[in-house]
Amino acid sequence: MRILSLGFTRGVIAQIIGSALGTALIVAIRAILGMPNNDLRDIEPAAVFGGFVGGIAFMLGVGSMDDWIKWMRGIATPEYHGPDPNKPRWQRYFDVDYDHKVIGVQYGVTSVLLFLLAGTFALIFRTELAAAGMQFLSPDLYNTLMGLHGIVMIAAILTGVGAMSNYLVPLMIGANDMAFPRLNAFAFWVNVPGALLVVSSLFLGGFDTGWTGYPPLSARAPLGMQMFFIGVYLVGLSSILGSLNIIVTVLKMRAPGMTMFRMPIFVWAAFATSLIGLTATQMIGLSFLMVLIQRVFGMGFFDPTKGGNVVLFQHLFWFYSHPAVYVFILPGLGIVSELLPVFARKPLFGYKWIAMSSLAIALVGFFVWAHHMFTAGMEEYLRVPFMYATLLVAVPTGVKFFSWVGTLWQGKIITPTPMLFTLGAIVVFLFGGLTGPPNGTVATDLHLHDTYWIVGHFHNTMFGGFVYPFFAAIYYWFPKITGKRMNETLGKLHFWLMTPSFWAVTWVQMFIGLRGMRRRIADYDPTQGFEPAQLLITIAAFLIALSVLIFLINLVRTMRSSERVTDNVWNSRSPEWQLPSPAPDHNYADRPFVVVGEPYDYGLPGSTYVAMQTGTASARAE
Amino acid sequence: MDHPRRILIVSSHPLFRDGLKSLLHKRDGARVEIVGTARNTDEAIAALKTHAPDLVIVDHDDTSINRDEFLARFIEDQQPMRVVLVSLKETGPVVVYDRRTMAGARIEDWLNDLEIPQPKNALNESRRGSMKHFIAVAILVVIVAVLVNAGLEALGLMPVQASAQAVPIDNLFGMHVKVIAFLFALIVVFMVYSLVVFRRKAGDTGDGAHFEGHTGLEIAWTILPLATVLYFSYLGAGALAETMRADPQAMEVKVIGTQWTWRFEYPEGNVSSNTLYLPKDKQVLLKLSSTDVIHSFWVPEFRVKQDALPGDNMVKDLRVTATKTGEYKVRCAELCGQLHATMESPVVVMEANEFAAWLDKEAKSIPTDPVERGRRWATQFGCAACHSVDGKAGIGPSWKGVYGREEELTTGQKVKVDDAYIKESIRTPAAKLVKGFTTPMPVLTLSDAQIADLIEYLKTLK
Amino acid sequence: MAAQALSAADYARKLANNRLGLWLFILSDGFMFAGLLVTRFYLLGEHRPHVDQTVGIIVTAVLLVSSFFMNRAEVMIAHGDRRGFLFATFMTMFLGIVFMAGVVGVEWQLAPFKPDTGADGAVFFMMTGMHAFHVLTGVMFLAVVFINGLRGHYSAERHYAVEACANYWHFVDIVWQFFYPALYLIGTVAGS
């Protein structure tokens, strides 16, 4: 049976069986000890144990730990596992495969699927919100869908970041793969049981806390809350391990001549991102684990009746979750820096400053977390240094914007679809960035916190910092990945439909937020006059969905077409474009390169960035 | 000079070729050697290889030779060579360009083998042209910034300003809007201008100007934003201090958030209310707390917001000085579960004397006898809807003889209806349900004192 | 293990990558333990839980001695002394198990509070529990190294698994050197 031979299928079956067995084991032990097993509250410890066992079972079932288990048994494994010649090529993407390009595509497809899922949740509750009064959702279901929208979008972004980093970094630095290919595969696959657990919360009572999971509310939420916690734990593990891989790869595996300041700029972005992902992510794991343990064992970290403190959770949680937003946007901003020179035919303005600005954002980003807590009840004076640090992040961010303008200025600009999304990313992220300082300033934040202004702000930063660059990257590197090029007309239609619709959503959100529209509410008072605005937002959201549908149609049509595109389509100086398309297995094994010049010397005739070592025509710019 | 410079002449016009050849021989004699001539691009490229000249002279005015294509193919090879474009129509210094770096040198210097100067920063060369662009953009930025700011202000972004604390907040927000308008204009105008003016023209296959950066600009656009954010932080700290300015005469009101309603307790005379009454122009110190999860107190017209936390030592302060009479709403601003969306209470701001009168009336209307007070609370909180006093069963157990009675719970456990059980049943209605009754009580925001009064009343129901 | 099949140059490159990778992993794990320390000071402040000092000093000493043996194991295999390496590895494992027995088996039973009675219990059991879990995984790592060592998989030139195990073990020990003062030494015992 073809389906059963897929790693993915084996993993899912293993997870189901593992969860059931794990749950049953604890239920049995409880029964033997005379403890009750009557309702969901009683079964919760068993279900939590089952959740973890199921996750581990998935990873064993899909085959992501096979080589390591062999090593533990003292058995050597080959360095590279090529595609199985007995299986059709497409099966690679459903199995454990160690090729970073395959893993990059796996991440990318997972990201798009999660994006569609989270978007669907949004469309459902946006429909409910279009008119005042509860039309078809219950408040509990609304809260769950809204919380799922948040966390599944975050998972979509993390896997999208994983797609871009894993596919591009080795190709850009001249490596044939990542430093730890097996770890790479593991880090991808662990997202699948994580996502399954998160979505399973929908069928186990849901959760009413939003993705931020604040106790005490999360300590008394239904069982779905625990599935959410375990699922996020696994997704976070992916982030940590993927970041570790990127850091080692970038530091240790660059081609000869590629000093740090001669890397493509996206590699700097991925590197800075990975510094955050490696370290800060532990804090969301810890904070969620502590709520989980409070629920299962009664340990009252965040229970004031047991000496606990609810504000502590927020400190631990936001210590990750603020730097996390820089994980979400730094790669996308790196894509912007990467693509502008190609389409303006000019050097990247201030390359070194842009590279350093990514590191600066990552560093300063660690010191601002409590700006999410200005009204939370922490020490009043403490809010001031966090305000200073928060506004400080604007400085390296501004360096990027000004450098992008400097790159465009006096260029020779063309605007195919990837460039449209790149330019769109800049403008949308600009809105996001400009609406940040009022939130970072404590006094104004007292009014803005927990309103639709915040919702508008972060949707702008997320779309500008991730969604648009991700689309730009897909349209741009599609020929490199598949040897086919996506349709320009549909691409432009996608952009020109998505962009004004998106602004209709977020500008209106910010406007009504200022006027009193709170966030995370299933219903609103019609006397506040928000109904027309809510209807408009809902319609615009559906238009965004339509534009995504156009993108998907483009994707499917392109994959089905037989037109091949094999050359340096965008006339880029970057090393991966000096390879044939689709990129060959083993990347540069047959044609390594040496770096002989600067990456972005467009406009300097005769300048070369990389010299391939096989005697074929050197790579150069026009 | 060690050897004569080998020269290739490229032109389709015989007069240009031969004329230049004899001119060079006459002028430079032994220093130059004409190694060949070419009539078109392909011949010229071939001649590069066969003759390997030091210098190629290309006829600038010859339209049959595609200069761009020639130059593009000229720089393919690494063998040192230079090219110069000579025109019979235009005048100016004669500059030869190096094939590999396109660095320029005056022909006299090259012939005399002097030091070749470094390529100048292309920014200087195009500076005169770009000045007019900068001026145009600067004007547009100012116009757009002013228009955007004016437009945003005209929209009336903030709700009615109804508290003293709102004033510094709105002022600061207005300053933010100005900076937002300026920066938006700055970036977007530059971008749109570039997209229009610096768009690649049809057929142009060349690259843009090669400038990699400008340290002065980088420093400027690091220092200026740094100064701006530091200044705004300073302003922000000042505005925050103003919103927190304490009036020692402030009246304290306890605000208790419970899933999913608010209760307000005034210190005088045990007055408790589900509507927040406030005097105009008098600072009120709200003492926020929660009985269960995190809630948040917010009236948009007052601007300031503060979370209400559970825990005995987690009472938080929020100072509000209402400045406009009227009716407002306080709505919970921190997701607190199922009915977070509808957790709201009315806020009524009255003239100070009216408020004093209200408070007085409320305090006086409370009986001094705890039993009477208990009966009042029972009426006020609608207990009779489910609990009879005459023994008849209803949605809830009858109160006749309830105090001290032993009841069996739905779990089979037996419990005595004492003070602790009554209090627990009110605070967590679903915890211990009496057998035979399946509907838990709604959450009721009685204070501890009110529960004590209610118990006294229950004791009298035999 | 996989190491044997590689050329010397390839092995050297992989070794460098593996070393950096392990340090990064340890850095990441360190953040988690730092979060636990923050929790301890946030919830308990100047107080410390009332725990048995004798047991505390004994288990701390046991863990430190185990690190000594771990280091001996690594040095001995680097010198090709297989028997010494095996003995030292076994001692490390044994002492690690003694540590866990001391903490989970003795200290946890002796504690005058339960995990769910208050902040003391929550903090103490969480910190020692997470640490003990890492000791457990360290012991499992040691077991794998011991068995593969018995089979002769490690040589003086190629024994990265031993080095990695040792670094991990030392990390777990260092974490305890921070947890021990935080739980046993710093602050005053709260009144009952």
Side-chain angles (χ1 to χ4, degrees), chain B residues 422-443:
Chain B
I422 292 173
K423 188 166 178 186
E424 187 184 12
S425 297
I426 295 176
R427 290 268 179 261
T428 45
K432 293 191 176 122
L433 285 176
V434 173
K435 192 167 182 159
F437 298 93
T438 52
T439 315
M441 281 205 302
V443 177

Coordinates of all heavy atoms in Angstrom, one line a residue, chain B residues 422-443:
Chain B
I422 N -21.8 28.0 53.0 CA -22.6 29.0 52.4 C -21.6 29.9 51.6 O -21.9 30.2 50.4 CB -23.4 29.8 53.4 CG1 -24.5 28.9 54.0 CG2 -24.0 31.0 52.7 CD1 -25.2 29.5 55.1
K423 N -20.5 30.3 52.2 CA -19.6 31.2 51.5 C -19.1 30.6 50.3 O -19.0 31.2 49.2 CB -18.5 31.6 52.5 CG -17.6 32.7 51.9 CD -16.7 33.3 53.0 CE -15.8 34.4 52.3 NZ -14.8 34.9 53.3
E424 N -18.7 29.3 50.4 CA -18.1 28.6 49.3 C -19.1 28.4 48.1 O -18.8 28.6 47.0 CB -17.6 27.2 49.7 CG -16.9 26.4 48.6 CD -16.5 25.0 49.1 OE1 -17.1 24.5 50.1 OE2 -15.7 24.4 48.4
S425 N -20.4 28.2 48.5 CA -21.4 28.0 47.5 C -21.6 29.3 46.7 O -22.0 29.2 45.5 CB -22.7 27.6 48.1 OG -22.5 26.3 48.7
I426 N -21.4 30.4 47.4 CA -21.7 31.7 46.6 C -20.4 32.0 45.8 O -20.6 32.4 44.6 CB -21.9 32.8 47.6 CG1 -23.3 32.6 48.4 CG2 -21.9 34.2 46.9 CD1 -23.6 33.6 49.4
R427 N -19.2 31.7 46.3 CA -18.0 32.1 45.6 C -17.8 31.1 44.4 O -17.4 31.5 43.3 CB -16.8 32.1 46.5 CG -16.8 33.2 47.5 CD -16.1 34.4 47.0 NE -16.1 35.5 47.9 CZ -16.9 36.5 47.9 NH1 -17.8 36.6 46.9 NH2 -16.9 37.5 48.8
T428 N -17.9 29.8 44.6 CA -17.7 28.8 43.6 C -19.0 28.0 43.5 O -19.0 26.9 44.1 CB -16.5 28.0 43.8 OG1 -16.5 27.6 45.2 CG2 -15.2 28.7 43.6
P429 N -20.0 28.5 42.8 CA -21.3 27.8 42.8 C -21.3 26.4 42.4 O -22.1 25.6 42.9 CB -22.1 28.7 41.9 CG -21.4 29.9 41.7 CD -20.0 29.7 41.9
A430 N -20.4 26.0 41.5 CA -20.5 24.6 41.0 C -19.8 23.6 41.8 O -19.8 22.4 41.5 CB -20.0 24.6 39.6
A431 N -19.1 24.1 42.9 CA -18.2 23.2 43.6 C -18.9 22.1 44.3 O -18.5 20.9 44.2 CB -17.3 24.0 44.6
K432 N -19.9 22.4 45.1 CA -20.6 21.4 45.9 C -22.1 21.5 45.7 O -22.7 22.3 46.5 CB -20.2 21.5 47.4 CG -18.7 21.2 47.7 CD -18.5 21.1 49.2 CE -17.0 20.7 49.4 NZ -16.3 21.7 50.2
L433 N -22.7 20.9 44.8 CA -24.1 20.9 44.5 C -24.8 19.9 45.4 O -24.4 18.8 45.5 CB -24.4 20.6 43.0 CG -24.0 21.8 42.1 CD1 -24.3 21.3 40.6 CD2 -24.9 23.0 42.3
V434 N -26.0 20.4 45.9 CA -26.8 19.5 46.7 C -27.5 18.5 45.8 O -27.9 18.8 44.6 CB -27.9 20.3 47.5 CG1 -28.9 19.4 48.2 CG2 -27.2 21.2 48.5
K435 N -27.6 17.2 46.3 CA -28.2 16.2 45.4 C -29.6 16.6 45.0 O -30.4 17.0 45.9 CB -28.2 14.9 46.2 CG -28.5 13.7 45.4 CD -28.2 12.4 46.1 CE -28.4 11.2 45.2 NZ -27.7 10.0 45.7
G436 N -29.9 16.3 43.8 CA -31.3 16.6 43.3 C -31.3 18.0 42.6 O -32.4 18.3 42.0
F437 N -30.3 18.8 42.7 CA -30.3 20.1 42.1 C -29.1 20.2 41.1 O -28.0 20.0 41.5 CB -30.2 21.2 43.1 CG -31.3 21.2 44.1 CD1 -31.2 20.6 45.3 CD2 -32.5 21.9 43.8 CE1 -32.3 20.6 46.2 CE2 -33.6 21.9 44.7 CZ -33.5 21.2 45.9
T438 N -29.4 20.4 39.9 CA -28.4 20.3 38.9 C -27.9 21.7 38.3 O -26.9 21.8 37.7 CB -28.9 19.5 37.6 OG1 -30.2 20.1 37.2 CG2 -29.1 18.1 38.0
T439 N -28.7 22.7 38.6 CA -28.3 24.0 38.0 C -27.4 24.8 39.0 O -27.9 25.1 40.1 CB -29.6 24.9 37.7 OG1 -30.6 24.1 37.1 CG2 -29.2 26.1 36.9
P440 N -26.2 25.1 38.6 CA -25.4 25.9 39.5 C -25.8 27.3 39.6 O -26.4 27.8 38.6 CB -24.0 25.8 38.9 CG -24.1 25.1 37.6 CD -25.5 24.7 37.4
M441 N -25.6 28.0 40.7 CA -25.9 29.4 40.8 C -25.1 30.2 39.9 O -24.0 29.9 39.5 CB -25.6 29.9 42.2 CG -26.6 29.5 43.3 SD -26.6 30.6 44.6 CE -25.0 30.5 45.2
P442 N -25.6 31.4 39.4 CA -24.8 32.3 38.7 C -23.8 32.9 39.6 O -24.0 32.9 40.8 CB -25.8 33.3 38.2 CG -26.9 33.3 39.1 CD -27.0 31.9 39.6
V443 N -22.7 33.5 39.1 CA -21.7 34.1 39.9 C -22.3 35.4 40.5 O -22.8 36.3 39.7 CB -20.4 34.4 39.1 CG1 -19.4 35.2 39.9 CG2 -19.9 33.1 38.6

